[in-house]
Structure formats: C-alpha cells, structure tokens
Amino acid sequence: ACMHCADPVCMIGCPTGAIDRNEAGGEVVINPITCIGCKACFNNCPYDAIRMVEIRDSAGSFVLGSDLKPVLKETKCDLCVDQLGGPACQRACPHSALTRINLGDLEEFAGWVDR
C-alpha cells in the first residue's frame, strides 16, 4: 500500500507533473489525465505501491496504442480522496480493523490507542 511519504521519491522525474500531493489532505495522487505512462514514478517508488494497469475507455474496451497493444498507465492507492466517506477499504472492513487517523491530532490518536 502507498505510504503517502513525507518526501515522496515517486514524484521525482515525472515529466508531466501527473503525480502530486493533494493540498487538502496531503495524499499522494496520480492524475490519470496528465499521466503518460512513462513509468518514472513506478520505477522510483521504494514500496512497489504503484502499479501499471491497462486503460479502458468509457465503453470498457481497452485503449490501444499505435502498436495495437493496450496503453498502460500508473495507478496507486489515493485513500479514496474523491469519496466523501473516506477510504473504501476502511468502510468495507467488517471488524473495523482498518482505521485512518490523523497522527497530528493527539486526542484522536489517544482515543484510538485507548479503544
């Protein structure tokens, strides 16, 4: 899983700036529109948290390149930054084993430790 590092080396060398830190929550996210699939972030991630996936169009068909092979782009966990309910994995966990807490909020952390 992505560590959303304090100093993400995956951002180094991205020619389009497609991988960036979300200003609102600090999550490291990849913009699929500006990503060109160059593999710079994929190769730089020390945790192997970035994957190359085949891109599909709105009909669900593979997008093919000029070589007629499926186009690959990077993807990674972005902590469901676009979902109001937070990370889907946390919401789906039936035993509340997954919890995202703000370690900068000592009261929230203390409440989690004392549960």
Side-chain angles (χ1 to χ4, degrees):
C2 181
M3 302 297 175
H4 300 277
C5 303
D7 188 19
V9 294
C10 60
M11 289 185 195
I12 298 171
C14 179
T16 64
I19 187 165
D20 199 7
R21 185 175 297 283
N22 181 6
E23 290 181 23
E27 302 88 358
V28 176
V29 296
I30 298 174
N31 182 335
I33 296 170
T34 55
C35 175
I36 58 172
C38 70
K39 295 187 179 180
C41 61
F42 172 80
N43 291 327
N44 288 339
C45 177
Y47 301 105
D48 294 327
I50 299 174
R51 306 268 185 237
M52 299 300 294
V53 296
E54 298 167 331
I55 302 302
R56 296 176 183 257
D57 61 19
S58 59
S61 301
F62 291 114
V63 175
L64 303 177
S66 58
D67 57 359
L68 299 179
K69 292 183 181 177
V71 172
L72 300 175
K73 287 192 179 184
E74 290 85 356
T75 189
K76 60 177 273 322
C77 169
D78 61 4
L79 296 172
C80 298
V81 69
D82 59 343
Q83 295 187 27
L84 295 177
C89 59
Q90 179 179 327
R91 291 192 322 272
C93 183
H95 304 290
S96 299
L98 294 171
T99 303
R100 178 159 164 81
I101 61 171
N102 179 359
L103 294 176
D105 183 345
L106 294 179
E107 287 183 33
E108 182 181 2
F109 179 65
W112 178 79
V113 170
D114 290 336
R115 63 183 176 127

